[in-house]
Amino acid sequence: MLDKSRFLHSFVETTLNGEEVVIDGTLNAIMNKDGYYTFRHIKPLTKISNQTLQEDMEKYLYKIKEFSPEVYFVFRDEIIRDFEKNDELFNIKR
C-alpha cells in the first residue's frame, strides 16, 4: 500500500563520492537518490537548501527562542513570506 499512501517525511539530499544520495534517518539508510525517489514514490512538497536554511536561521529563527523544526520544514515558504511582511520586527538593534 506504500505506493497509494501519502505522508510527510523529511530526508537529506547530498553528494557522497560524486554520487547523489538521500540520507534518511527514519530508515537509518543512505540510498542512491533516483532509487530512493522510485522506491518511496517521493513527490517533494518543498526543498530547502543548506544556504537557505542558514540564511533563515540568521535572519529570523535565531531571534525566535522556540520554533519547531518540523513546522519550519513543512511550511517554510509561508512562514518566511509572513516574516518578510513584518521585517521591521527582525531588524531591531539590541
Side-chain angles (χ1 to χ4, degrees):
M1 293 298 293
L2 190 62
D3 64 334
K4 296 185 181 12
S5 301
R6 295 183 69 185
F7 53 92
L8 290 173
H9 186 71
S10 296
F11 52 89
V12 175
E13 293 181 11
T14 191
T15 303
L16 294 176
N17 301 321
E19 181 183 6
E20 288 187 322
V21 297
V22 169
I23 301 172
D24 188 323
T26 303
L27 298 176
N28 194 27
I30 299 175
M31 295 178 65
N32 168 283
K33 179 181 169 183
D34 291 334
Y36 182 83
Y37 271 67
T38 301
F39 174 68
R40 303 281 291 176
H41 307 281
I42 301 296
K43 292 183 181 147
L45 296 175
T46 187
K47 290 186 177 190
I48 304 167
S49 71
N50 186 44
Q51 180 178 349
T52 297
L53 174 60
Q54 189 66 33
E55 289 169 358
D56 288 350
M57 290 176 73
E58 290 171 8
K59 189 167 185 179
Y60 302 112
L61 302 179
Y62 283 145
K63 297 175 184 174
I64 299 173
K65 300 300 180 202
E66 304 263 336
F67 201 86
S68 167
E70 295 86 356
V71 172
Y72 170 80
F73 291 135
V74 174
F75 299 106
R76 185 258 172 211
D77 294 341
E78 293 86 350
I79 291 168
I80 298 303
R81 192 168 34 251
D82 283 346
F83 284 172
E84 288 172 345
K85 288 179 189 175
N86 298 289
D87 205 40
E88 68 277 358
L89 298 173
F90 296 95
N91 291 322
I92 298 171
K93 303 278 186 206
R94 294 182 184 197

